[in-house]
Amino acid sequence: MGVNHRWLAAAALAATALSPITSNAAKPTADHNKNTAVPLSTLADQISLSWQKFTLPNGLQVIVHADHKSPIVAVSVWYHIGSKDEPAGKTGFAHLFEHLMFNGSENAPSGVFEPLRQAGATDDNGTTWFDRTNYFETVPTPALDLALFLESDRMGHLLGGITQQKLDNQRGVVQNEKRQGDNQPYGLVQYAQTEALSPEGHPYHHTTIGSMEDLDAASLNTVKDWFRQNYGPNNAVLVLAGDIDIDKAKTLVTRYFGDIPRGRDVVHPAAPIWTLPARKDEVLTDNVALARLYRTWTVPGFASSELPDLHIAAQVLGGLASSRLDQILVRQEQLAVSVAAELEPFENQSRFEITVDVKPGVNPQYVSQRLDKILNDFINQGPTADEVKRAATQTMVSEIAGLETVGGFSGQAPTLAEGLLYANDPNHYKKELVSLATATPASVTATMKKWLSRPVYALTVLPGERKAYQESQKGGHSGNDQIAIKPIPTAAPTPEMVAAAEKTTSAGIDRSHLPEIGTIPDLKFPTIEHAKLSNGVEVSYAQRSAVPLTRIAFNFDAGNAADLKDLRGTESLMLSMLTEGTPGKNAIELAVDRERLGATIAFDSDADRTNMLLRSPTPNIGATLSLASQMLLSPAFPDKELERVRSEQLATIAMEHSSPAPLAARVIGPNIYGENHPYAHVLSPSGTEDSVKKITKADIIRFKNQWLRPDKAHIFIVSDQPLSAILPLLNTRFGHWQNPKEEAGVKEINAAPVPQKSGILLVNRPNSPQSLILAGSALPLKGQADDATLFDLTVANDILGGQFLARLNMDLRESKGWSYGVHSRIYRMVGPSAFMIRAPVQTNQTGPSVSALKADTVSFLTDQGITAKELEGTLTGDIRQLPGSFESGDDVLSGMMTLNRFGRSDNYFDTLASRYRGLKAATLDTTARRWLDVNKFLWVVVGDANVVKPQLEKTGLPIETMSADDVK
């Protein structure tokens, strides 16, 4: 749930869906040397989505897309109501109502969470944005009736389920969601931008989250009126995508939605594209480590034919790895440590935004002048033909990668819904693809001149003191007075509307009970094949044919735990340097080659493993592997780039010290594991300022030779083509790869943790509108040796805090309204694992939140163990979720890597259902009580010490206070 911020960068255009691709269309190239990319026209032709549409008499528009690859169906309901429809004095209402619609209707009074969990729903959520509110879930096919029952009940039978208690609770949850966003570095920028880019009274003049004052003022009657006026079936779109056909869809949708009365015809406010009368420069100070520059324009809305050109412009400017701003400001002149440009579409107008993080020690005013000069030159001269093609290729491939999922945020269902809602055309995505494929330097330049030559909003955020926070007057500490908002009266609902919206009976179905869920088949994980390269490196493979993509992971037994104790950050610096050049190509040339192929070659790591990850259109996989072999086997580690990358890593460390979550992560690891344990700093792998400054090129080369080598590698593949087609391409490029002369690295991960502290460690972060609690302890349980115990402990934790319906979240979020969300987790490592609770909470309830979390956990571990209802609900949900858990190639790739890491058999996932069915509450209670000890927890609290320390003193726990500067 929450405000939606997903349409960025490559996701700025509508996602699309693939029709089945013939095997010939996706064969990998046989040419091992040429980086010949698939033509854009070919990519565009391969992206095609079939659908059928019907409309109920009450106005509900329904789209059906059949995709029978998995026994699941995506249900996506989009209401054409968002924050731009809110009158003055009611900001945040659309988003607040999104929360209320999750929490109970007349015939599902306890809300949708428990029934959907029981149904095995995946990708279930809801979001609100300027122009719409949506709800979505992907369910096993036998649970489709239940999903449609729930969606129809909150559309047609909601008001009797809304109570003052629910309103007050969700008001608190939403206000904590607001605090959580505001608490981040640069968290207040959104308010400055939104207010500056349009005048007062314009529908886009306020943020979706709304103001504390308006949320405080929301009454039960005004909230119900908001529903009556805006959430009728004639103001909504329903999309079903997946294991469904049109006849079944018509029957089910008519059954569940057909009796809902038509609502009023919603008239959306005029929202013209606003042009600033003159350039507007503003400066904010905030608790940030780096100065950041913003350049923002309003540009045409979602359906505009000019949007693809603007998207390409953003990619060329600051989206591609080879972008203009990256080349000039980051690499050549080294005035910045990072840059970005993105297009964020809204229905009536969109936002084109550029950000530049200024390198420490550089004058932001000078960088601002250089940025404006670069932008002016680019707007007037435009991109090259090659840049346009590369930007379009990367966008298309990024879209294809998301098409395996039928639902979620950007799969098939939302693609069709947004096209119909915003452009009155479910096929709108095709127009965008054609525009991408046919864009030229001339068209992009002309569009930029038209829209980006207008006055810009130029915002500079400088390190300094954040202004006083405007707090809620209901349960929050006071802030400055809000600016008065002039209310705009709205039409009162007619008696007919009230009667229709409060109708509690249904002529279509019996709503006295939820529909039964049919038999859901157990998961059948894809067949895994095994092979070896000529040099003995093991290869594991699974086939996924839904999209013409190949994903390959080179998985090394290294990870953050392999980092050097006395030179923390070495692994992170080495991984960054692997993209910075080879003897034959510099970093930009490598990036250009990847972009032409539509390929991704990235390096990352977690606690126990380091990865080189490849994703490529299958016809280009040979050329992609050639590039990857150069980067992995022959990195140049150029001295000039090393110093630049080092400065970027130092900037990252500085930024981590101004952000609550990274601060807490830096503190908790060494204190629960002991400073010298390999896992002490796996949550903060960037190192320290002192250590990163000492790392030499020789250190990097030595580390790479010790850890990224054949005897520590395992290759995993997911492709639409058979292993027999991919293995020769791998062998040609990596079969000759041999171990270096250096001895392989050794990790002492099995060493016992040596906890340093318990009680509360308070990290002072002045003027924080929210506190972050991170609590937990190391466990002696090891990922491989104690797999069975950790399995039981993980299920027990699901009930304590591992899922939305778990006790910790239901208490602090749903009962008390002190947090936007609480979560606990078993961090399963190959060596000793860990248990942690993460809880962002409102500042004036920090002490009580620690006490509540402790009391809830103690209760769970003593006299209030797992109930039969909790166990049944958790296991039923876990079992039914399995078929939808491996829908995409990324899911399958990750699953195979997990099997290997923990020494599990190929059929492990196939056995999970029966394993879940054999679990007993007593066994889980015994396991949790043996291994979790609240008295050994360290409670790290990041917040304003002046406000929260007096509260924490009442917990009775010992307290140690430190400043953010003291965190290493």
Side-chain angles (χ1 to χ4, degrees), residues 339-371:
V339 297
E342 60 197 21
L343 177 70
E344 192 170 10
F346 312 143
E347 181 179 15
N348 302 106
Q349 66 178 30
S350 303
R351 187 177 292 175
F352 191 103
E353 178 181 283
I354 296 164
T355 59
V356 174
D357 286 341
V358 179
K359 184 177 180 179
V362 176
N363 186 341
Q365 186 175 0
Y366 174 71
V367 182
S368 179
Q369 294 171 354
R370 282 294 294 130
L371 174 60

Side-chain angles (χ1 to χ4, degrees), residues 429-449:
Y429 71 94
K430 290 188 175 182
K431 297 177 182 177
E432 293 181 321
L433 292 170
V434 170
S435 296
L436 281 172
T438 58
T440 65
S443 69
V444 174
T445 303
T447 304
M448 285 196 299
K449 286 182 177 179

Side-chain angles (χ1 to χ4, degrees), residues 38 61 122 360 437 512 539 923:
V38 178
Q61 298 181 81
T122 55
S512 64
V539 177
T923 303

Side-chain angles (χ1 to χ4, degrees), residues 28-192:
T29 177
D31 191 325
H32 298 162
N33 300 310
K34 293 183 179 180
N35 291 356
T36 304
V38 178
L40 284 176
S41 58
T42 300
L43 281 177
D45 289 344
Q46 289 179 348
I47 303 173
S48 182
L49 181 63
S50 62
W51 53 269
Q52 293 173 281
K53 179 176 178 288
F54 62 94
T55 302
L56 296 185
N58 60 15
L60 178 64
Q61 298 181 81
V62 185
I63 299 175
V64 181
H65 165 62
D67 180 347
H68 299 289
K69 70 176 182 295
S70 298
I72 54 177
V73 182
V75 179
S76 193
V77 181
W78 288 48
Y79 293 91
H80 201 172
I81 190 73
S83 59
K84 83 161 187 278
D85 299 292
E86 298 163 344
K90 295 183 180 179
T91 65
F93 269 42
H95 177 233
L96 175 61
F97 217 90
E98 173 220 315
H99 279 249
L100 287 169
M101 289 179 75
F102 272 104
N103 279 271
S105 54
E106 292 164 5
N107 304 292
S110 297
V112 304
F113 297 113
E114 178 64 26
L116 287 177
R117 169 70 172 159
Q118 291 289 299
T122 55
D123 282 335
D124 51 318
N125 212 321
T127 67
T128 310
W129 206 212
F130 287 97
D131 311 297
R132 57 101 188 105
T133 303
N134 63 2
Y135 300 91
F136 50 89
E137 58 272 344
T138 299
V139 296
T141 307
L144 179 57
D145 277 81
L146 174 66
L148 294 177
F149 177 99
L150 294 170
E151 291 294 354
S152 63
D153 211 64
R154 62 179 162 190
M155 178 184 288
H157 307 274
L158 182 76
L159 292 184
I162 299 178
T163 64
Q164 185 66 49
Q165 181 182 9
K166 289 180 180 179
L167 172 60
D168 291 341
N169 172 263
Q170 290 307 307
R171 187 203 329 266
V173 171
V174 168
Q175 289 179 331
N176 274 303
E177 181 180 356
K178 176 178 168 64
R179 294 184 188 102
Q180 186 168 317
D182 296 350
N183 197 34
Q184 305 309 309
Y186 313 100
L188 303 183
V189 166
Q190 60 172 322
Y191 306 107

Side-chain angles (χ1 to χ4, degrees), residues 28 88 100 167 171-172 206 243 275 288 341 395 427 447 504 529 538 585 595 616 621 661 681 735 739 814 846 908:
L100 287 169
L167 172 60
R171 187 203 329 266
H206 65 270
D243 187 24
T275 297
V288 297
T395 298
N427 281 333
T447 304
T504 58
E529 299 179 48
E538 294 188 18
K585 295 182 178 181
E595 291 159 3
S616 172
I621 190 59
H681 300 287
N739 290 319
E814 296 300 306
T846 303
Y908 173 84

Side-chain angles (χ1 to χ4, degrees), residues 383-440:
T384 67
D386 190 51
E387 286 175 320
V388 171
K389 183 178 180 180
R390 291 183 347 244
T393 301
Q394 286 290 89
T395 298
M396 286 188 178
V397 174
S398 294
E399 291 178 353
I400 291 172
L403 302 180
E404 291 170 289
T405 56
V406 292
F409 286 97
S410 59
Q412 299 164 10
T415 295
L416 294 168
E418 66 184 0
L420 179 58
L421 204 69
Y422 297 152
N424 197 31
D425 182 9
N427 281 333
H428 179 73
Y429 71 94
K430 290 188 175 182
K431 297 177 182 177
E432 293 181 321
L433 292 170
V434 170
S435 296
L436 281 172
T438 58
T440 65

